[in-house]
Amino acid sequence: MGLIYDRDTCTGCMLCPKACNFGAIEKDGDKVKFDLDKCVLCGSCEEVCPVDAIKIERKKVDANEIAQYKNVFVFCETHEGRLRSVALELVTKGRELADKLGEKLVAILIGNDIEEHAQTLIYHGADHVLVVEGKIFTDYTTDAYTIAMTSLIAPRKPAIVLYGATNNGRDLAPRIAARLALGLTADCTGLEIDEARQLVQTRPAFGGNIMAEIISPYTRPQMATVRPNVFKPGEPDTSRKGEIEKVNIEVSPIQVRTRVTEKVSEIVEGMKSVEEADIIVCSGRGIKDPANLELPKQLAKLLDAAIGGSRPIVDMGWLPPTQQVGQSGRTVCPKLYFALGISGAIQHQIGMSSSDIIVAINKDPEAPIFSIADFGIVGDLFTVLPEVIAEVKRVLDSR
Amino acid sequence: MVKIVVPVKQVPEVTEVRMNEETGTLIRDGVPSILNPFDELAVEAAIQLKEKHGGEVTIITMGPPQAKDALLKALAMGGDRAVHLTDRAFAGADTWATALTLAEYIRKEEFDIVICGKQAIDGDTAQVGPELAELLGVPQICYVQKLALSEDGKQVIAQRGTDEGHEVVKAKLPVLLTATKGLNEPRLPNIMGIMKAKQKPFVEVNIEKLGTDPSRLGLKGSPTQVRKVFAPEKKKGGIKIDADNPAAAAKQLVEFLTKKGAI
Ligand SMILES: Cc1cc2nc3c(=O)[nH]c(=O)nc-3n(C[C@H](O)[C@H](O)[C@H](O)COP(=O)(O)OP(=O)(O)OC[C@H]3O[C@@H](n4cnc5c(N)ncnc54)[C@H](O)[C@@H]3O)c2cc1C
């Protein structure tokens, strides 16, 4: 591994010394020179160089070098200052992996004004929290977050880095993987440590028809994005202690090549996200009329559940696209899933079959949804559902 | 005039792929191959940009000889020329090695915009787009739902899907985009298109022509390895009752859920 500098190609534009967060690049006459003792090979200079005069050669890590890579890092995504629920899931799972390795769990927070979450992450299992703050990190941008992450990872050499498989997590992780030439496994639903201390990453492929176990034997850190809602967050332990470290990372606006000019939330007031909910009440074409959605909404309200819909319901505009479950919508795995008047087409099942408990109400006894339902009721949902609502209410009231 | 490159993949119709439980291998016999549906969105977006601003659309794939069909379909839709990166040395590539192979070729061409599908429906990783962007040294905008070029043609303005809704993102060319549902309705190739496709420029590129060290490509160049594939634990149907008496059925259901600790 090493950095190759082509002094003849270099135009002396002086972008790279500014891009370096490690003070490893200095002006040298009308060109630059590199202090390779300070360089961590994060790749920021290579990316900013307009004439490709800097090249970082990355090789596979050999066996005795692998032992130098220690600790489990988790990227804890925030959104408008709020910690995403997947962050706590990652910290809980990361704790388990770190314990198996006998190593530390390090949580990473990037944003503006987000340090308050560091303590929460410690209560949930982090030994150490790295906090990177700055105005440039207020909105997620691929470029700024990639620079922050590579600047944290490259010098600290973790064994494992995990990200939530959210839209931003899946935008960011591959960018980092490519910059550092690392293996990356997408949207994992299982993570284990094997006898060789490797991370075994399990994920669905072929639309959920097949599961694959994936390893990255020769590159470190081993990186994965993790599907939200698969690992359950643990309870906080307020007696846990940990270290909070603020890390200063400079990113200049010219290094950020995209600009967010508008952010629109399509989340309808009172409409819980299906990806983050423990319980989902999902309706299909059997609901017949948008006015009838009042019934599932009543049940959802009682159970503090999210409202979902099959594709036809969303296509007809009865529910916003954020609530669609299935192959072309969201993938969910709540503790409890109600399928009301949903036939259970394969494209729908792909998005929900890993739910813990599936309840189906459908008047067609042959509906495919029954083949995966833990509890199926064959009947008219308009007569059954009101009874279910009444019974749930009665049971909850009696508690 | 915009020069657009669209990397595409031929994929099996995934809903028909199954495991042979005894041998632990995929049953792909008789499973039809299609142009990845998200790539169709990318091809359509490229053609629409070209129709509006002029330019050229290059379709590129890395894949076995039969992947030519996916290229021909994209040409029939309206792509101008196709590049088929095909060699045994490319086989078995993970997302990193795939992105590298594509980048090694695309780097040699002039381009303003690269448009990928959000993900391929067989692997569902959504990683090749961002990895390719990094290897090409250009910014990326992923999950694009709406797309326009600025009046001077130097910037893209894209609506990008987020977990909460969407955001509008601007970037100067060159840039890489990934296309998602809602961006457009891909056109069906017509007979004229299909006939013309066969006459359009088509190059095949093997490892020698690509000129990349083979140890960096294909299975050998892939940092990730598939250790095992297995059939997912299929959920089996559980209790199924008739709602002849809806109140009794509801009671039974709620009892079941309470016992399971689900409510
Ligand atoms: C590429 C592709 C992607 C797709 N992506 C998705 C996706 O993301 N999500 C998705 O959901 N679908 C998706 N689909 C569509 C999918 O194939 C099905 O068409 C769809 O899921 C059917 O929705 P449904 O179950 O609501 O409707 P239907 O299949 O019409 O089923 C309605 C059900 O309601 C029952 N019913 C009717 N009246 C009553 C009543 N009074 N009481 C009780 N039951 C009643 C009927 O028996 C029936 O089973 C996709 C399809 C394709 C080709």
Side-chain angles (χ1 to χ4, degrees):
Chain A
M1 258 198 292
L3 183 144
I4 303 157
Y5 170 53
D6 179 355
R7 204 176 159 93
D8 295 334
T9 305
C10 174
T11 59
C13 72
M14 294 300 149
L15 285 174
C16 57
K18 284 191 213 103
C20 182
N21 267 292
F22 300 91
I25 313 176
E26 251 177 63
K27 199 166 154 53
D28 179 34
D30 58 354
K31 306 273 169 99
V32 295
K33 68 174 181 203
F34 292 80
D35 181 343
L36 292 178
D37 290 334
K38 287 186 185 158
C39 174
V40 301
L41 303 173
C42 71
S44 294
C45 56
E46 184 184 24
E47 186 68 12
V48 84
C49 177
V51 292
D52 291 338
I54 305 168
K55 194 141 186 45
I56 293 177
E57 260 199 355
R58 299 182 189 275
K59 299 212 176 76
K60 289 175 178 171
V61 186
D62 65 55
N64 46 31
E65 271 178 79
I66 280 185
Q68 294 172 14
Y69 290 79
K70 282 204 180 70
N71 302 328
V72 178
F73 279 29
V74 291
F75 169 68
C76 296
E77 190 181 340
T78 58
H79 169 68
E80 318 223 294
R82 188 177 64 87
L83 201 57
R84 278 198 194 282
S85 56
V86 71
L88 297 182
E89 296 163 21
L90 288 182
V91 170
T92 306
K93 186 66 190 180
R95 178 73 264 161
E96 192 187 305
L97 299 175
D99 285 342
K100 278 207 193 113
L101 289 167
E103 295 173 0
K104 279 192 187 154
L105 175 67
V106 179
I108 297 172
L109 271 174
I110 303 172
N112 195 20
D113 222 357
I114 35 84
E115 197 191 340
E116 54 171 316
H117 301 304
Q119 198 61 54
T120 313
L121 297 173
I122 289 171
Y123 291 160
H124 278 87
D127 298 306
H128 194 132
V129 184
L130 300 171
V131 183
V132 179
E133 289 191 304
K135 254 217 156 78
I136 198 126
F137 302 115
T138 309
D139 286 325
Y140 169 80
T141 59
T142 315
D143 285 332
Y145 276 60
T146 300
I147 293 167
M149 285 300 291
T150 52
S151 302
L152 293 174
I153 294 170
R156 289 177 178 78
K157 300 194 170 191
I160 295 172
V161 185
L162 305 178
Y163 307 77
T166 60
N167 276 19
N168 288 348
R170 294 181 77 171
D171 177 274
L172 175 65
R175 189 89 200 188
I176 296 165
R179 188 161 304 177
L180 300 177
L182 300 174
L184 175 66
T185 306
D187 206 21
C188 296
T189 55
L191 294 171
E192 295 293 337
I193 304 288
D194 71 2
E195 352 40 82
R197 297 171 65 79
Q198 296 185 99
L199 182 67
V200 182
Q201 307 153 112
T202 306
R203 69 179 304 265
F206 292 93
N209 288 317
I210 279 138
M211 302 297 288
E213 263 185 29
I214 294 169
I215 50 173
S216 303
Y218 312 114
T219 52
R220 288 294 178 278
Q222 307 158 88
M223 300 216 297
T225 61
V226 179
R227 185 180 288 189
N229 256 322
V230 171
F231 301 116
K232 306 293 171 200
E235 290 299 317
D237 169 1
T238 52
S239 67
R240 272 191 59 87
K241 299 263 181 299
E243 191 191 333
I244 300 172
E245 181 188 348
K246 286 188 139 192
V247 185
N248 182 38
I249 292 169
E250 297 288 342
V251 177
S252 124
I254 58 154
Q255 289 173 276
V256 181
R257 295 162 290 185
T258 57
R259 198 155 51 87
V260 179
T261 56
E262 197 186 329
K263 282 176 115 174
V264 180
S265 170
E266 287 167 12
I267 295 176
V268 178
E269 193 70 51
M271 193 77 71
K272 251 183 125 149
S273 140
V274 286
E275 280 157 310
E276 298 198 345
D278 281 339
I279 303 180
I280 299 171
V281 179
C282 199
S283 310
R285 202 159 13 202
I287 204 78
K288 297 214 165 58
D289 189 285
N292 294 335
L293 282 170
E294 271 320 304
L295 270 177
K297 278 183 186 163
Q298 272 180 37
L299 180 62
K301 193 154 180 235
L302 275 178
L303 296 172
D304 192 24
I307 289 282
S310 66
R311 186 163 91 170
I313 296 299
V314 171
D315 282 352
M316 288 185 285
W318 297 357
L319 284 173
T322 46
Q323 310 308 112
Q324 183 185 323
V325 174
Q327 189 185 35
S328 50
R330 311 282 163 142
T331 305
V332 300
C333 29
K335 294 198 181 98
L336 176 56
Y337 188 92
F338 287 90
L340 309 172
I342 290 176
S343 58
I346 178 78
Q347 295 89 353
H348 187 78
Q349 288 195 21
I350 283 171
M352 48 65 75
S353 62
S354 46
S355 307
D356 288 352
I357 299 179
I358 297 169
V359 173
I361 304 178
N362 195 308
K363 66 178 183 191
D364 172 11
E366 302 302 325
I369 192 75
F370 286 124
S371 69
I372 58 162
D374 298 276
F375 199 107
I377 300 181
V378 183
D380 185 339
L381 78 95
F382 298 108
T383 57
V384 178
L385 197 51
E387 297 293 344
V388 173
I389 292 169
E391 183 64 15
V392 168
K393 208 186 234 147
R394 196 184 62 75
V395 168
L396 292 183
D397 284 348
S398 69
R399 283 190 189 159
Chain B
M1 284 282 283
V2 276
K3 289 200 174 253
I4 308 171
V5 177
V6 184
V8 301
K9 185 179 186 186
Q10 188 182 50
V11 295
E13 179 57 271
V14 292
T15 51
E16 296 184 26
V17 176
R18 291 283 178 281
M19 283 281 300
N20 179 333
E21 312 252 345
E22 272 154 40
T23 58
T25 51
L26 302 188
I27 307 169
R28 293 177 94 153
D29 285 350
V31 176
S33 289
I34 54 171
L35 173 58
N36 177 39
F38 288 104
D39 298 346
E40 286 185 7
L41 299 169
V43 173
E44 178 64 35
I47 298 168
Q48 287 184 13
L49 282 178
K50 176 190 137 180
E51 284 167 350
K52 200 153 168 215
H53 303 272
E56 185 189 51
V57 176
T58 302
I59 315 290
I60 181 167
T61 195
M62 181 198 85
Q66 61 270 27
K68 185 175 182 182
D69 292 343
L71 290 173
L72 286 174
K73 173 155 188 203
L75 290 179
M77 286 171 72
D80 295 303
R81 50 191 279 268
V83 179
H84 190 176
L85 307 175
T86 188
D87 197 304
R88 292 191 78 125
F90 304 155
D94 72 354
T95 64
W96 197 91
T98 302
L100 183 74
T101 311
L102 292 169
E104 290 280 297
Y105 187 85
I106 296 172
R107 239 198 295 274
K108 298 180 181 147
E109 304 235 321
E110 264 176 56
F111 66 89
D112 300 304
I113 306 178
V114 179
I115 313 180
C116 299
K118 171 182 105 164
Q119 63 195 44
I121 59 166
D122 52 354
D124 274 339
T125 73
Q127 289 179 181
V128 171
E131 289 177 333
L132 178 58
E134 170 67 20
L135 295 172
L136 292 172
V138 302
Q140 72 197 41
I141 306 176
C142 292
Y143 321 128
V144 172
Q145 303 166 331
K146 272 187 196 160
L147 176 62
L149 274 188
S150 62
E151 283 196 1
D152 64 1
K154 290 186 172 147
Q155 255 198 92
V156 290
I157 304 152
Q159 176 177 313
R160 157 174 195 260
T162 61
D163 288 291
E164 281 67 36
H166 64 260
E167 60 191 19
V168 178
V169 183
K170 290 186 181 167
K172 284 208 191 90
L173 307 184
V175 63
L176 181 143
L177 312 168
T178 76
T180 193
K181 198 183 89 163
L183 181 57
N184 52 48
E185 287 293 332
R187 67 193 69 187
L188 289 171
N190 57 26
I191 297 289
M192 268 303 276
I194 294 168
M195 309 259 288
K196 275 201 207 146
K198 298 193 183 111
Q199 270 108 57
K200 289 182 177 171
F202 191 106
V203 285
E204 275 186 18
V205 177
N206 60 16
I207 184 95
E208 285 81 34
K209 269 203 200 158
L210 192 68
T212 307
D213 173 0
S215 74
R216 299 173 66 206
L217 304 177
L219 191 62
K220 274 195 225 144
S222 296
T224 63
Q225 286 182 359
V226 177
R227 181 147 91 171
K228 190 170 123 193
V229 293
F230 56 99
E233 251 179 67
K234 268 270 172 274
K235 261 202 111 91
K236 294 208 174 60
I239 304 163
K240 188 168 158 194
I241 59 170
D242 275 315
D244 302 329
N245 178 344
K251 203 166 165 103
Q252 214 176 320
L253 168 63
V254 175
E255 242 166 55
F256 171 83
L257 295 178
T258 320
K259 211 157 72 201
K260 290 269 178 190
I263 58 172

